[in-house]
Amino acid sequence: MASPTPLAPDHLGPTVCIGEILAEIVATTEGVGFKNPQPLVGPYPSGAAAIFIDQCRRMGGSAAMIGAVGDDDFGRMNTDRLARDDVDVSAIAIHPNLPTGTAFVRYQNDGKRDFVFNVWTSAAGTLSWTPAVEDVIARAGHLHVIGTSLARDHIWQMIERAAPLIKARGGTVSLDPNQRKELTKDTEGRFAKMILQTDLLLPSGDEIFLSTKGISEIDETDAIHAIFAQGVCEIVLKRGDVGATCFQSDGTITNAPAFIVKEVDPTGAGDCFGGAYVAARRLGMAVAESLTYACAAGARNVTMLGPMEGAGTRAQLENVIAITPRLDL
Ligand code: ATP
Ligand code: MG
C-alpha cells in the first residue's frame, strides 16, 4: 500500500513561494535574439515563483507569494492577476523607485530560447525579510523552493530562515532544482543543505543526478535511492512531452503519460506542473490523481503564449483531462 501524502495538509496554512515576479515580453517571430527591431507581444505576468504559486491557487490550494515589484504597471499587472486568482499578496513588496523585473524571450527555429533579463537589478533584487513576510511565514503550511533562487544570496537567506520556521509548525518543503547547467560550487552547498529539509523533490531530466554528482556509473535507480537516503519521501521526475513518474520512499512507482498537445510556448510548464501537484497532494489526493492534474497543468500551459496564461483552474484542468488524448504508457 502506498504511503500517505508526505505533505502538510492544506488547512495548516498556505503554500508559500519566495522569488521573482516579472513582466515577460515575447517575440512573435522565430529567430536569433534581439539585435534588430521586431514584433513583440506582451507584457505577460511571469517569474517562475509567481507561475508556480498562481497554478497552485488555481488548482484549489491555498497560496501566498513573497516577492517584490516596482510601483509601475508591470508590477500592478502581476499583483492584480495574483490577487484576482485569490493568491495572498500581502507579502509582495512594492519598491518606490526600481522597476518591476522583465524578461524578453525569443524562440529559435529549433525551440531553443534567447533571453534578455532584468531581474536582479530590478525591484526583485531588493526582496527582503519584512514584517509582512514574517506574518506569512508564521502561518504557512508549506514552502516551495525553486533551485535557481539558491544562487541569489538575498533569497537564499530568506529561504534558510523560512524553511525551519515552517517545518517547526508541522509544515513541509518541496524543491524544484530547475537547473540544467552546472551548479556553481556555492550553489551546490546550498542545494545539499536544502535537500536535507525537502519532503518532495521535483526534478526534470538529468536533475535527478544533482545530489550524486561526481559519482560515476550511477543509474536512475541508484540516484533515486541516494535522494531517499537524505530524507526525501517523494520524487516526481518530469519528463517533458513524455509525462512524469513518481517514486515514493516505500518503493511505489507511478507513471503518468503526457497529454498529446501542440506545444506553442513551453516556458512555465515545469512550474505549472509543480504548482498543481503540490496543491493536489496537500488537498489529500492520491499520487496517480495528483500526477494526472499536474500533467494536465503542464500540457495546458505549453499550448498558450505567455508563461502564466495557460495556468488552469481545476475545472479547466478537468476539461483537459476529459477531452485530450494521452500517450500510451
Ligand atoms: P521548465 O522548462 O518550465 O523548467 P521542466 O523541465 O521543469 O520545465 P517539463 O518536463 O518540461 O518540466 O514539463 C513539466 C510537465 O509538463 C511534464 O512532465 C509534462 O507532464 C508536461 N509537459 C511539458 N511539455 C509538454 C508537451 N510538449 N506536451 C505535453 N505535456 C507536456
Ligand atoms: Mg524545471
Side-chain angles (χ1 to χ4, degrees):
M1 166 149 162
S3 42
T5 173
L7 301 189
D10 199 69
H11 61 73
L12 183 68
T15 293
V16 170
C17 202
I18 307 173
E20 72 270 29
I21 301 172
L22 306 175
E24 189 150 319
I25 291 109
V26 185
T28 58
T29 57
E30 285 182 352
V32 180
F34 290 99
K35 287 189 188 152
N36 297 299
Q38 57 186 278
L40 305 163
V41 285
Y44 294 109
S46 186
I51 297 165
F52 172 92
I53 211 70
D54 190 63
Q55 178 61 81
C56 180
R57 182 69 198 112
R58 284 192 157 201
M59 176 65 201
S62 53
M65 179 69 203
I66 297 177
V69 295
D71 185 9
D72 53 29
D73 280 352
F74 286 176
R76 284 184 279 277
M77 166 183 72
N78 274 287
T79 50
D80 288 356
R81 161 66 189 269
L82 293 174
R84 205 179 330 128
D85 282 347
D86 195 32
V87 172
D88 179 339
V89 296
S90 62
I92 297 180
I94 299 169
H95 196 279
N97 304 317
L98 289 175
T100 302
T102 50
F104 287 73
V105 60
R106 187 179 191 195
Y107 288 93
Q108 296 181 10
N109 303 328
D110 60 2
K112 284 200 197 113
R113 286 172 275 187
D114 287 320
F115 285 103
V116 176
F117 283 118
N118 172 27
V119 179
W120 307 114
T121 46
S122 75
T126 67
L127 189 52
S128 64
W129 195 278
T130 60
V133 170
E134 179 87 30
D135 174 67
V136 165
I137 296 299
R139 51 190 172 78
H142 182 86
L143 176 69
H144 179 71
V145 178
I146 297 174
T148 36
S149 57
L150 300 181
R152 315 309 313 181
D153 289 349
H154 66 302
I155 298 188
W156 168 243
Q157 281 158 16
M158 293 176 75
I159 289 169
E160 238 193 338
R161 190 163 160 184
L165 290 172
I166 294 174
K167 292 213 101 169
R169 60 187 302 275
T172 42
V173 172
S174 50
L175 171 62
D176 180 344
N178 208 27
Q179 188 104 50
R180 258 140 271 163
K181 297 206 182 79
E182 287 296 292
L183 292 171
T184 63
K185 272 272 168 271
D186 223 29
T187 317
E188 239 172 58
R190 290 174 183 178
F191 184 80
K193 262 193 199 169
M194 204 58 236
I195 209 159
L196 292 174
Q197 303 178 72
T198 296
D199 303 281
L200 165 67
L201 187 72
L202 293 151
S204 73
D206 283 352
E207 290 170 351
I208 197 107
F209 298 108
L210 277 175
S211 60
T212 45
K213 250 177 89 187
I215 308 173
S216 56
E217 292 185 31
I218 195 155
D219 65 12
E220 192 175 284
T221 311
D222 293 338
I224 297 281
H225 285 132
I227 295 166
F228 286 144
Q230 295 178 83
V232 173
C233 306
E234 202 164 297
I235 303 166
V236 177
L237 180 59
K238 292 169 279 175
R239 303 184 196 265
D241 61 6
V242 176
T245 304
C246 177
F247 303 86
Q248 289 170 277
S249 53
D250 67 357
T252 311
I253 298 176
T254 311
N255 283 304
F259 290 92
I260 301 169
V261 294
K262 186 173 167 354
E263 189 174 288
V264 174
D265 180 359
T267 306
D271 303 313
C272 280
F273 179 99
Y277 190 80
V278 167
R281 290 295 271 149
R282 293 200 63 209
L283 290 166
M285 288 185 199
V287 166
E289 191 181 12
S290 303
L291 280 177
T292 301
Y293 276 104
C295 285
R300 186 174 195 275
N301 190 255
V302 304
T303 62
M304 290 185 206
L305 197 63
M308 211 191 279
E309 300 315 292
T313 61
R314 187 151 160 188
Q316 287 168 332
L317 299 182
E318 280 163 4
N319 189 47
V320 170
I321 294 165
I323 65 170
T324 316
R326 302 184 78 172
L327 292 176
D328 290 330
L329 262 181

